Amino acid sequence: MNKLNIDKIRQDFVILNQKCNSKPLSYLDSGATTLKPKSVVDAVNNYNSIGTANIHRGLYALSEKATNDYENTRLKVQKFLNANLSEEIIFTSGTTGALNMVALGWAQVNLQAGDEIIITEMEHHSNIVPWQMLCQKIGSILKVIPIDNHGDIVYAEFQKLLNSKTKLLSITHTSNALGTINPVKKMIAEAKKYNVVTLVDAAQAVAHNKVDVKDLDCDMLAFSGHKLLAPTGVGVLYGRIKILEQFQPFIGGGDMIDKVSFAGTTYADLPARLEAGTPPIAQVIALGTAIDYILDIGFDAIADYETNLLKYATKELLKIEGLKIIGTAPKKASIISFVLDNIHPHDLAQMLDQVGVACRTGHHCCQPIMNHFNILGTTRVSMAFYNNRIDIDNLINGIKRAKDFLL
Ligand code: PMP
């Protein structure tokens, strides 16, 4: 297996050269958004500086190049996810955009009152609220798989929830607040016994492990570009072609039509049918560059490196008296949430910021998890392959300093 050349990798992330509060930056908030390597920044700049043109409509060289680059990303995403067809890749504004697209474009027209949707207690709000809104509108029913005190789903409860009324299982691959990696493949196989359509929120998975839609056998999957080294503003909805054909477009406009007259409109084929209007062209092109970058490093090396970093950070954090990790499932991504004595997470974050450590505090858009553990919020450290042990040591020293100051 290739080992990571971490020093070389860190040079690709220009942001890491800067000081934060006069201290070297230790960026430990990749769960919120990943840093962008220089090649991705260049891809955006190139489009905006020397490549600007709208796509799909222009018959001049610049427009053709932009169209090719845009569509090339679709092919890269198809390969990246191991999807059967490029038409199965729909560009969205992000994971939130993709999940809402499923709620409005598919579930709203294919589900009926009394039909059941299953999610887990550890979902991000973006995989809760769209279903609550839908249930209010059409009378479907939301069911929630509980989690245990380690932050794992209670599998037996999931099995009990499945029945002939279950129409959709929408679950996170990896929890952004706890780090738990769910047994998604097993859950999908279980759901298939009841012909349930399955949707995976892979927002926290795609930058850390190979995600293969054929292997998972999911019907749909969503992720955000900005959590995969790409810019904000772009995301992906993968859908098995048979499911995407059941979507009713819910945003009408340019690019998604076949013929328009006042007598009526017919729609374009997939994927254009679900991509109305001018898309975020630079961001989509840069998503392709981000995929090239991450594949060049390789997921085996990334997973190996991040697992070691997770072990090191967990070991060092647990040496701090009064620190409790929230989310101790055996299968975890490189995310650690914790509480510390009675120090408010926001106070801790501010003190960490003073020593150049950037991490997230609060409920992480997962208020039901915080209710489960009866806490207001956590401090969350989320690592990526460009982090090193110095970042972790800075974090540990910062926490010790905060403890001395605040307690
Ligand atoms: N799901 C999970 C698991 C996430 O971590 C996030 C982002 N924190 C989202 C969904 C929403 O992603 P976005 O804000 O990029 O749409």
Side-chain angles (χ1 to χ4, degrees):
M1 185 192 305
N2 285 339
K3 284 259 173 266
L4 293 193
N5 185 344
I6 186 76
D7 292 334
K8 184 169 170 291
I9 284 172
R10 285 175 68 86
Q11 281 167 21
D12 293 335
F13 293 84
V14 177
I15 193 171
L16 292 174
N17 295 330
Q18 74 183 305
K19 296 260 191 290
C20 182
N21 284 324
S22 320
K23 299 284 185 313
L25 172 64
S26 287
Y27 185 80
L28 294 169
D29 198 18
S30 295
T33 195
T34 56
L35 303 180
K36 328 296 174 203
K38 196 171 169 305
S39 58
V40 167
V41 177
D42 287 347
V44 175
N45 283 346
N46 280 344
Y47 170 80
N48 285 325
S49 55
I50 54 167
T52 302
N54 211 327
I55 55 165
H56 294 152
R57 288 179 287 268
L59 291 176
Y60 52 94
L62 272 177
S63 176
E64 278 168 12
K65 170 151 178 27
T67 303
N68 282 342
D69 291 349
Y70 179 91
E71 289 302 330
N72 222 350
T73 297
R74 201 186 304 279
L75 297 174
K76 287 180 189 178
V77 175
Q78 177 201 344
K79 220 169 144 210
F80 182 70
L81 295 177
N82 196 22
N84 271 331
L85 304 166
S86 63
E87 290 84 349
E88 294 179 324
I89 307 301
I90 309 295
F91 291 120
T92 66
S93 59
T95 308
T96 306
L99 296 173
N100 279 276
M101 183 184 271
V102 178
L104 296 171
W106 181 80
Q108 188 165 284
V109 283
N110 289 283
L111 265 54
Q112 286 164 3
D115 285 347
E116 294 179 1
I117 298 165
I118 299 180
I119 60 172
T120 77
E121 196 182 354
M122 71 176 87
E123 298 308 321
H124 187 278
H125 295 162
S126 63
N127 198 24
I128 300 175
V129 184
W131 309 121
Q132 290 176 324
M133 292 162 115
L134 179 80
C135 290
Q136 263 185 352
K137 252 190 250 169
I138 68 165
S140 50
I141 298 159
L142 192 59
K143 300 276 177 173
V144 182
I145 309 166
I147 57 172
D148 63 22
N149 286 340
H150 291 289
D152 256 331
I153 61 149
V154 183
Y155 201 83
E157 294 299 321
F158 164 53
Q159 288 172 308
K160 277 191 217 156
L161 287 179
L162 283 168
N163 68 72
S164 61
K165 284 182 280 170
T166 315
K167 293 292 178 274
L168 177 68
L169 172 71
S170 184
I171 47 169
T172 192
H173 183 292
T174 302
S175 159
N176 62 306
L178 301 169
T180 309
I181 299 177
N182 280 316
V184 180
K185 185 174 171 177
K186 189 171 154 199
M187 292 172 80
I188 289 170
E190 194 93 43
K192 293 273 158 183
K193 294 181 197 160
Y194 294 83
N195 289 324
V196 174
V197 170
T198 55
L199 167 60
V200 177
D201 170 356
Q204 294 294 338
V206 280
H208 306 282
N209 289 292
K210 170 93 190 121
V211 172
D212 180 328
V213 292
K214 277 207 197 87
D215 181 53
L216 292 176
D217 201 22
C218 56
D219 295 307
M220 292 176 278
L221 181 138
F223 73 86
S224 302
H226 73 95
K227 293 187 201 282
L228 176 66
L229 314 179
T232 52
V234 57
V236 166
L237 174 67
Y238 155 80
R240 223 187 268 278
I241 197 78
K242 283 212 152 53
I243 300 285
L244 287 185
E245 282 167 358
Q246 297 171 3
F247 273 62
Q248 195 175 71
F250 69 101
I251 301 180
D255 242 23
M256 53 77 73
I257 53 88
D258 174 30
K259 287 206 167 60
V260 179
S261 76
F262 291 115
T265 289
T266 52
Y267 302 133
D269 290 335
L270 290 165
R273 193 191 308 174
L274 297 175
E275 288 180 11
T278 300
I281 301 168
Q283 290 85 335
V284 169
I285 294 171
L287 172 61
T289 312
I291 289 175
D292 291 342
Y293 184 89
I294 207 154
L295 291 180
D296 200 37
I297 297 178
F299 278 115
D300 285 346
I302 289 174
D304 190 44
Y305 182 82
E306 290 183 357
T307 304
N308 278 326
L309 206 56
L310 175 68
K311 274 193 199 143
Y312 178 70
T314 307
K315 184 173 88 181
E316 293 303 310
L317 282 168
L318 285 176
K319 285 183 191 163
I320 297 175
E321 212 179 303
L323 186 147
K324 184 172 173 225
I325 293 181
I326 305 291
T328 49
K331 272 197 92 183
K332 271 187 66 169
S334 51
I335 291 175
I336 308 174
S337 259
F338 64 87
V339 289
L340 178 63
D341 292 315
N342 55 356
I343 296 177
H344 196 290
H346 292 346
D347 292 336
L348 179 60
Q350 272 175 1
M351 296 247 7
L352 289 173
D353 179 47
Q354 287 172 8
V355 294
V357 175
C359 58
R360 184 56 71 101
T361 52
H363 54 64
H364 316 294
C365 298
C366 295
Q367 287 183 6
I369 293 183
M370 304 305 138
N371 293 341
H372 177 98
F373 288 98
N374 202 16
I375 50 179
L376 283 174
T378 69
T379 302
R380 184 189 70 181
V381 174
S382 51
M383 295 161 276
F385 58 85
Y386 41 70
N387 289 120
N388 58 19
R389 286 190 178 206
I390 298 171
D391 293 329
I392 306 304
D393 295 341
N394 288 344
L395 167 76
I396 301 292
N397 290 333
I399 296 173
K400 286 182 182 159
R401 183 175 164 270
K403 267 191 81 164
D404 287 345
F405 187 81
L406 294 169
L407 284 181

